[in-house]
């Protein structure tokens, strides 16, 4: 069983600066909410069997309507998100585990990363089959500076040894849920890869696509619009 876990429980404060603003995952781009653009990649992938989503509690009914209207019929559960990404992922994992075996492959993905490719999804599934994990990443083309105070860099790693972690991050359902249960609400955990490494568990890199950005700022929205327009024009050539 191959399962997509889509977490979209945030409010997007860096993009939506008003408490009355719609959360970024529900912003419409080219006639579809960003979340739907993301879900369609997993809906259309032949190896994905089920999808579970975590969203803001007061957007659960709206998400159900979107899933129905856009025919995302692989969705088997929509649950309440948490106060942080770790908790939102955990809630969706628990829902998935209630009706799927522990050895199922789960691909944990941001609801606001809508430019993933079919190949990246396939490669994540194959990585978990072979190695037990798969963390989508891209090589860093700029020098990375490590600084504790934001003023002075304490470490400058070699560029050829640095990678930017993206999503999906993929595991066996039972193993990643167990990891979440061992470390609950730990400060500094921003993704499942970090959680695994805190526990001393090894992960395997999967080469991602450079367009697979996380929509975080207004600039990212403009980039997304440009990418979608380019894809539309290319399909019509």
């Amino acid at each position: 069983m191959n399962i997509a876990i889509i977490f979209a429980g945030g409010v997007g404060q860096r993009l939506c600066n008003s408490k009355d603003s719609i959360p970024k995952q529900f912003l419409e781009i080219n006639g579809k909410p960003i979340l739907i653009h993301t879900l369609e990649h997993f809906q259309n992938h032949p190896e994905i069997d089920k999808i579970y989503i975590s969203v803001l509690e007061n957007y659960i009914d709206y998400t159900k309507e979107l899933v129905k209207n856009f025919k995302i019929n692989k969705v088997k559960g929509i649950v309440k998100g948490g106060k942080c990404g770790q908790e939102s992922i955990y809630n969706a994992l628990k829902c998935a585990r209630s009706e799927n075996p522990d050895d199922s492959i789960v691909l944990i993905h941001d609801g606001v990363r809508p430019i993933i490719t079919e190949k990246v999804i396939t490669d994540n599934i194959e990585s978990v089959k072979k190695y037990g994990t798969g963390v989508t990443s891209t090589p860093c083309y700029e020098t990375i500076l490590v600084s504790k105070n934001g003023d002075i860099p304490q470490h400058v790693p070699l560029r050829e040894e640095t990678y930017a972690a993206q999503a999906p991050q993929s595991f066996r359902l039972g193993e990643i849920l167990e990891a979440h249960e061992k470390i609950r609400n730990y400060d500094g955990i921003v993704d499942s890869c970090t959680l695994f490494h805190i526990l001393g568990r090894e992960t395997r890199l999967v080469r991602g696509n450079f367009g697979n950005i996380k929509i975080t700022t207004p600039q990212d929205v403009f980039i997304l619009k440009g990418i979608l327009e380019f894809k539309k024009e290319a399909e019509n050539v």
Side-chain angles (χ1 to χ4, degrees):
M1 189 70 66
N2 300 322
I3 300 167
I5 300 290
I6 310 298
F7 62 103
V11 296
Q13 292 178 342
R14 283 169 287 188
L15 179 60
C16 308
N17 54 18
S18 167
K19 65 179 182 180
D20 297 321
S21 298
I22 186 171
K24 61 184 178 181
Q25 56 270 36
F26 298 107
L27 290 175
E28 285 201 8
I29 307 294
N30 290 9
K32 297 178 187 177
I34 291 174
L35 178 59
I36 293 299
H37 283 286
T38 301
L39 289 171
E40 285 181 336
H41 291 290
F42 295 92
Q43 170 69 28
N44 296 331
H45 194 285
E47 294 186 72
I48 295 296
D49 301 300
K50 297 181 179 181
I51 302 171
Y52 294 85
I53 313 169
S54 61
V55 296
L56 294 162
E57 185 173 16
N58 56 336
Y59 277 86
I60 290 177
D61 289 341
Y62 179 53
T63 303
K64 290 179 180 178
E65 291 180 16
L66 289 175
V67 164
K68 180 180 178 181
N69 292 340
F70 286 95
K71 297 179 173 58
I72 313 295
N73 56 33
K74 289 183 181 179
V75 172
K76 303 305 177 184
I78 301 173
V79 301
K80 174 185 173 182
K83 61 180 181 292
C84 62
Q86 183 191 2
E87 188 173 341
S88 293
I89 294 168
Y90 179 63
N91 290 348
L93 286 170
K94 286 194 298 181
C95 182
R97 193 185 200 183
S98 69
E99 51 192 33
N100 297 284
D102 278 356
D103 64 352
S104 299
I105 294 173
V106 291
L107 289 77
I108 301 170
H109 194 73
D110 296 281
V112 289
R113 283 191 190 269
I115 309 295
I116 188 174
T117 66
E118 180 177 307
K119 183 178 186 304
V120 170
I121 295 173
T122 300
D123 289 349
N124 269 263
I125 293 171
E126 291 304 311
S127 182
V128 177
K129 287 179 179 178
K130 291 179 181 179
Y131 308 111
T133 64
V135 176
T136 306
S137 60
T138 53
C140 292
Y141 286 163
E142 297 191 51
T143 299
I144 301 299
L145 307 178
V146 179
S147 175
K148 294 181 179 180
N149 59 12
D151 293 320
I152 301 171
Q154 284 80 41
H155 180 50
V156 184
L158 293 174
R159 186 187 302 176
E160 59 266 29
E161 296 179 357
T162 58
Y163 295 79
Q166 298 180 335
Q169 298 185 2
S170 306
F171 308 86
R172 293 289 181 183
L173 174 57
E175 292 182 359
I176 189 60
L177 187 54
E178 180 185 15
H180 274 270
E181 289 173 342
K182 285 182 177 178
I183 302 180
R184 300 293 303 126
N185 302 320
Y186 185 96
D187 288 341
I189 295 182
V190 295
D191 58 13
S192 298
C193 174
T194 303
L195 186 152
F196 242 50
H197 276 263
I198 288 175
L199 292 173
R201 301 288 299 276
E202 185 178 271
T203 54
R204 192 83 177 192
L205 297 182
V206 173
R207 182 61 59 91
N209 58 298
F210 281 98
N212 186 20
I213 62 172
K214 180 180 178 182
I215 307 302
T216 305
T217 68
Q219 290 81 2
D220 296 328
V221 174
F222 287 114
I223 293 172
L224 173 59
K225 288 180 178 178
I227 292 174
L228 292 176
E229 188 61 33
F230 176 80
K231 289 178 64 178
K232 183 179 178 181
E233 291 179 1
E235 290 170 358
N236 293 330
V237 171

